[in-house]
């Protein structure tokens, strides 16, 4: 007993733990000095106070039970350490691990010996550990990804419910290597090989895996793991995550499929399709664009579109295509505009039609332009307009022709009928034989005039139908000119327009149709006389051409022809003055027939004229028409 007494006094004086003696009713009768250090309360302040006043209310019931048990009978222990909370002088509670010994029979003690050790740090550490574990478990259960821990061989030590859901297994079926049974057969060997390699090297694991459910559903997952090592750096296992990538894979596949479809459509499109940004920098250039602009896509990517379409950037930035509004929303397909494009190789300019749509992504607008080469359409439109104008011109020419024909035919026919009636009815009496003879001559002249009109119409009809045949024989140019002059001599005399002849010496004999060539000269001379003012002079010339051929020309000093009217005078049934009150008579066939007859001989007919300065018509026959070359 003395040893216990000495032990108690020693503990009370020197121990870091609190040692105290309680009376049978639970009051402090002696307290060690450690009380001040542990609880912040001097020992003397506790003497005589009930111990239960210093115990946390939640722990008092157990403390009462323990004290009651120690307070009955002889010397006993309370049955082992008791953990309770004791008030600290600064406020708050300290966790104390307490044991009690009842020594009522010891005259030096005569009470209950209390031994209390401060275990606050240990208890709080354990509480934090339990809270951390609870938090980890909560996070693991609610995590959107699978969380796992394995041993060195890859056997599952821990896995959360999400891991089981991704693998398509129940949580009970995950332990050990059983989870590998749900892997796609093609992924098992790869997993084993990569896992062994990563463990041997102590490296992280990164694998794409497929899990096959019993209903045939395939889940795509990304497995990421990091090695767990011991104090010596040896790999003991692995911790990591399993992420369901099924939606991502399906979305990526759908995007790839959509991109493939889009590329197929764009590549097969007949129209050029170009994507560009707001500055006109080209991002894509389909095969149709390569063919249209004659430049490879590689040469256009990251180049400016205005290299090919000068007005394109302006159309994009000023809203001309109704798809760009600064600060506003992007629009779909805008208006269709026509523009001019430049081919990359030869710089040839051609018309195009442009339609642009815009989308906005990442704060940037991307424009898609559909471009169509409308050269053929423009040509067709031009041809249609020309055909329409030609049809309208032909319609006007027909109306004019009918009017002119009516006038030209009625005039000589009226003369024929009128003079014939005078003769038939002997209106002048029987003695006016000479007058009747004159009338008969007028009838003959009118008939010849009608015959000439009919001949001209037949000639142009034959020529237009391709039925002209030349009766070619040797022809002397001088004789040709002389015969033509004889045929227009009467007309020349009546108009008072003399014709001067200018023949060059040494002209070669021609080989051609003498009748048709004379007809050409007669038409030209007749026009020169008709369109010259009385007193004027006409000149017919024949000379060797610069190419060795023969040129026949007729020059007058008449009214002349404006440059814009030259095509009209070469058109059948057309005259510059088409009115019924025109000054000069005629069908308008002379020059048209002459031109075709000259071309039938391989030559050309050229008109040089100006209003008020007269006209020169030149017939150029090729060298092959000379007898020396025939």
């Amino acid at each position: 007993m003395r040893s216990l007494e000495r032990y108690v006094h020693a503990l009370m004086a020197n121990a870091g733990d609190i040692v105290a003696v309680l009376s049978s009713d639970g009051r402090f009768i002696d307290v060690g000095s450690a009380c001040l250090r542990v609880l912040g309360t001097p020992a003397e302040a506790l003497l005589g106070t009930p111990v239960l006043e210093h115990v946390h209310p939640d722990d008092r019931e157990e403390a009462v039970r323990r004290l009651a048990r120690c307070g009955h009978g002889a010397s006993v222990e309370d049955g082992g350490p008791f953990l309770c909370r004791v008030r600290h002088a600064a406020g708050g509670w300290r966790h104390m691990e307490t044991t009690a010994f009842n020594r009522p029979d010891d005259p030096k003690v005569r009470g209950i010996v209390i031994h209390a050790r401060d275990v606050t740090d240990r208890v709080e550490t354990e509480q934090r550990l339990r809270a951390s574990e609870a938090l980890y478990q909560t996070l693991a259960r609610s995590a959107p990804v699978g969380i796992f821990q394995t041993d060195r061989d890859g056997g599952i030590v821990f896995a959360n419910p999400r891991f089981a859901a991704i693998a398509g297994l129940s949580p009970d079926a995950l332990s050990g290597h059983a989870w590998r049974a749900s892997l796609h057969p093609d992924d098992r060997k790869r997993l084993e090989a990569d896992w062994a390699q990563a463990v041997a090297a102590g490296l992280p694991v990164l694998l794409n895996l497929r899990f096959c459910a019993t209903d045939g559903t395939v889940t795509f997952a990304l497995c990421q793991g990091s090695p767990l090592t011991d104090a010596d750096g040896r790999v003991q296992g692995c911790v990591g995550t399993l992420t369901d990538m099924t939606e991502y894979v399906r979305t990526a596949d759908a995007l790839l499929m959509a991109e493939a479809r889009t590329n197929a459509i764009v590549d097969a499109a007949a129209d050029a399709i170009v994507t560009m940004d707001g500055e006109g920098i080209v991002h894509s250039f389909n095969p149709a664009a390569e063919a249209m602009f004659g430049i490879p896509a590689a040469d256009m990517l990251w180049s400016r579109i205005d290299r090919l379409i000068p007005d394109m950037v302006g159309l994009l930035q000023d809203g001309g295509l109704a798809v760009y509004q600064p600060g506003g929303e992007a629009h779909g397909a805008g208006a269709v505009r026509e523009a001019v494009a430049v081919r990359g190789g030869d710089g040839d300019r051609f018309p195009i039609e442009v339609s642009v749509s815009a989308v906005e992504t990442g704060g940037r607008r991307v424009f898609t332009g559909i471009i169509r080469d409308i050269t053929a359409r423009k040509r067709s439109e031009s041809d249609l307009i020309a055909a329409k104008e030609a049809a309208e011109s032909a319609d006007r020419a027909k109306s004019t022709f009918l009017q002119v024909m009516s006038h030209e035919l009625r005039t000589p026919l009226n003369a024929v009928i009128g003079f014939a009636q005078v003769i038939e009815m002997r209106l002048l009496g029987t003695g006016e034989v000479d007058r009747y003879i004159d009338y008969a001559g007028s009838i003959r002249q009118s008939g010849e005039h009608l015959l000439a009109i009919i001949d001209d119409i037949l000639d142009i009809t034959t020529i237009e139908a391709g039925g002209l045949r030349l009766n070619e024989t040797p022809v002397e140019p001088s004789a040709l000119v002389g015969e033509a002059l004889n045929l227009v001599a009467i007309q020349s005399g009546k108009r008072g327009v003399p014709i001067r002849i200018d023949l060059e010496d040494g002209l070669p004999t021609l080989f051609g149709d003498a009748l048709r060539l004379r007809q050409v000269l007669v038409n030209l001379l007749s026009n020169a006389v008709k369109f010259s003012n009385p007193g004027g002079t006409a000149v017919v010339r024949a000379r060797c051409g610069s190419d060795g051929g023969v040129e026949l020309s007729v020059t007058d000093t008449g009214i002349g022809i404006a440059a814009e009217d030259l095509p009209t005078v070469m058109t059948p049934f057309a005259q510059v003055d088409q009115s019924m009150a025109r000054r000069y008579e005629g069908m308008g066939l002379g020059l048209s027939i002459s031109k075709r007859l000259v071309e039938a001989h391989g030559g050309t007919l050229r008109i040089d004229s100006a209003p008020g300065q007269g006209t020169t018509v030149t017939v150029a026959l090729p060298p092959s028409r000379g007898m020396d070359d025939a």
Side-chain angles (χ1 to χ4, degrees), residues 28-52:
F28 286 104
I29 57 176
D30 197 1
V31 181
S33 59
C35 179
L36 178 63
R37 183 172 60 256
V38 175
L39 298 178
T41 302
E44 56 271 16
L46 295 178
L47 296 176
T49 62
V51 68
L52 293 178

Side-chain angles (χ1 to χ4, degrees), residues 39-73:
L39 298 178
T41 302
E44 56 271 16
L46 295 178
L47 296 176
T49 62
V51 68
L52 293 178
E53 289 183 359
H54 305 281
V55 177
H56 193 281
D58 293 342
D59 298 334
R60 288 176 184 172
E61 182 178 351
E62 178 65 15
V64 169
R65 188 182 67 80
R66 295 266 183 150
L67 288 174
R69 188 171 142 193
C70 288
H72 293 83

Side-chain angles (χ1 to χ4, degrees), residues 148-151 153-157 159 163-164 167-170 173-184 188 191 195 207 209-212 223 242:
F148 66 89
Q149 179 181 348
T150 71
D151 57 21
D153 296 330
I156 295 293
V157 175
F163 185 101
L169 299 170
S170 66
L174 291 178
S175 60
H177 297 276
W179 66 280
R180 298 189 181 187
S182 64
L183 280 173
H184 191 284
R188 292 174 191 168
L191 170 65
W195 191 280
L207 297 170
L209 302 175
R210 290 168 294 176
F211 292 92
C212 300
C223 179
L242 189 69

Side-chain angles (χ1 to χ4, degrees), residues 180 187-197 207:
R180 298 189 181 187
D187 294 344
R188 292 174 191 168
K189 290 184 178 180
R190 180 166 55 86
L191 170 65
E192 293 173 359
D194 291 351
W195 191 280
Q197 182 179 0
L207 297 170

Side-chain angles (χ1 to χ4, degrees), residues 231-554:
D232 297 328
R234 291 187 297 268
V235 177
Q236 301 300 313
C238 181
V239 293
T241 60
L242 189 69
T243 306
D244 189 346
M245 303 295 291
T246 304
E247 289 301 320
Y248 170 81
V249 171
R250 290 174 180 171
T251 301
D253 288 344
L255 287 174
L256 289 174
M257 183 63 70
E259 184 179 2
R261 284 197 302 267
T262 300
N263 290 338
I265 293 171
V266 170
D267 291 345
D271 293 332
I273 300 177
V274 180
T275 59
M276 68 211 92
D277 58 26
E279 299 301 320
I281 303 300
V282 174
H283 293 257
S284 71
F285 202 73
N286 76 331
E290 294 181 312
M292 179 183 295
F293 292 101
I295 186 170
D299 292 346
M300 275 307 300
L301 294 180
W302 305 107
S303 298
R304 292 180 64 87
I305 190 63
D306 51 13
R307 172 181 171 187
L308 302 178
I309 309 174
D311 297 334
M312 191 64 165
V313 175
L315 289 173
L316 293 177
Q317 294 184 346
D318 66 6
L321 286 164
V323 295
Y324 182 90
Q325 297 297 331
E329 295 182 357
H331 299 276
V336 177
R337 292 288 185 273
E338 291 186 5
V340 176
V342 181
R343 292 195 204 281
D346 54 17
D348 181 34
R349 299 174 75 86
F350 62 98
I352 59 172
E353 191 174 73
V354 182
S355 175
V356 176
S357 61
V359 294
E360 186 166 334
T361 175
R364 297 183 60 193
R365 279 188 173 88
V366 177
F367 298 90
T368 299
I370 300 176
I371 306 165
R372 179 170 297 174
D373 185 345
I374 57 174
T375 302
R377 192 182 80 188
K378 287 291 186 181
R379 187 181 299 115
S380 298
E381 290 175 356
S382 179
D383 292 344
L384 286 174
I385 291 173
K388 177 178 177 291
E389 292 176 349
E392 292 174 348
S393 176
D395 186 63
R396 290 192 299 270
K398 180 188 72 172
S399 300
T400 303
F401 167 69
L402 293 176
Q403 293 173 353
V404 172
M405 280 293 295
S406 174
H407 177 74
E408 290 292 328
L409 293 176
R410 283 176 181 275
T411 300
L413 282 175
N414 286 335
V416 169
I417 294 171
F419 286 127
Q421 286 178 342
V422 170
I423 295 172
E424 180 185 18
M425 297 174 66
R426 301 178 183 182
L427 295 178
L428 301 178
T430 57
E432 297 292 333
V433 176
D434 291 338
R435 296 282 298 279
Y436 289 137
I437 292 173
D438 289 339
Y439 291 165
S442 296
I443 292 173
R444 179 187 59 77
Q445 291 176 356
S446 297
E448 289 174 349
H449 180 63
L450 284 172
L451 182 60
I453 293 174
I454 294 171
D455 286 342
D456 283 347
I457 294 174
L458 292 176
D459 282 343
I460 194 64
T461 303
T462 300
I463 293 170
E464 294 286 353
L468 178 65
R469 297 292 182 270
L470 299 179
N471 183 19
E472 297 177 322
T473 59
V475 180
E476 290 294 336
S478 58
L480 183 66
V481 172
E483 293 171 359
L485 285 174
N486 289 335
L487 292 174
V488 298
I490 296 176
Q491 180 186 0
S492 173
K494 287 183 177 180
R495 287 282 297 169
V497 179
I499 302 174
R500 185 165 57 85
I501 303 174
D502 181 7
L503 299 179
E504 187 178 88
D505 294 335
L507 291 173
T509 300
L510 299 173
F511 187 75
D513 190 325
L515 177 63
R516 294 302 187 181
L517 292 175
R518 184 171 63 247
Q519 182 180 357
V520 170
L521 273 181
V522 168
N523 284 339
L524 299 183
L525 288 168
S526 178
N527 282 344
V529 170
K530 180 170 63 173
F531 291 107
S532 292
N533 296 319
T537 302
V539 180
V540 57
R541 294 183 177 86
R543 64 182 64 248
C544 290
S546 58
D547 61 351
V550 175
E551 290 185 353
L552 304 173
S553 66
V554 176

